[in-house]
Amino acid sequence: MSDQTPRTGLIKWADLTVDNAEEVRDFYSAVVGWDAVGLDVGDHQDYVMKHPETGDVAAGICHQLGEIQGLPQQWLVYVTVEDLDDSIAACNEHGGEIAFGPRDSETMGRWCVVRDPAGAVMALTELTPGEDN
């Protein structure tokens, strides 16, 4: 993902939360060529996946543990929104539903996962103080 400040309506992050994070980490290291860097999260490590030559952050691979247990085991993109409560209301008004959350995170700010009328999911994350939109 880019090191640029997140802006409203753009993808801020992508990650995959799974039961077998080490196996999936190794899969994407072999298939895509990403380097994995461990990230201490309480009593375990999740993984930041980086481009092998530039070190640019590409995505995260996380264990299905703690507060994120129950997330869909699929790639999730996190889109920045101005006001999460307004986006949740709009989701509900337009035939969607909240699939997970909302939750607070030190790294992602306030976020949730929405399911659109077709059944596809996406995470929404609210701009945190100090971020530009």
Side-chain angles (χ1 to χ4, degrees):
M1 304 309 300
S2 171
D3 289 334
Q4 296 177 356
T5 302
R7 294 183 302 168
T8 300
L10 297 180
I11 295 173
K12 176 179 184 175
W13 181 248
D15 67 23
L16 180 58
T17 301
V18 294
D19 292 327
N20 52 343
E22 285 81 10
E23 179 182 13
V24 172
R25 170 204 63 199
D26 294 346
F27 173 85
Y28 283 103
S29 290
V31 172
V32 179
W34 287 334
D35 288 336
V37 177
L39 176 67
D40 289 329
V41 182
D43 62 349
H44 68 279
Q45 281 196 331
D46 287 337
Y47 304 97
V48 176
M49 307 305 286
K50 295 186 173 191
H51 186 277
E53 295 172 12
T54 66
D56 291 341
V57 174
I61 296 179
C62 307
H63 289 274
Q64 186 78 253
L65 297 170
E67 289 187 3
I68 60 172
Q69 191 164 2
L71 277 176
Q73 292 195 58
Q74 65 185 53
W75 282 103
L76 269 178
V77 293
Y78 291 71
V79 174
T80 303
V81 296
E82 186 82 29
D83 184 300
L84 189 62
D85 291 328
D86 288 348
S87 292
I88 288 171
C91 170
N92 292 326
E93 290 170 15
H94 293 275
E97 65 182 357
I98 304 307
F100 189 88
R103 298 268 203 280
D104 291 314
S105 165
E106 289 183 27
T107 57
M108 293 302 294
R110 191 162 168 257
W111 65 282
C112 71
V113 176
V114 297
R115 183 174 290 112
D116 70 23
V121 295
M122 167 188 287
L124 305 177
T125 180
E126 191 170 64
L127 284 172
T128 55
E131 289 182 335
D132 296 328
N133 58 351

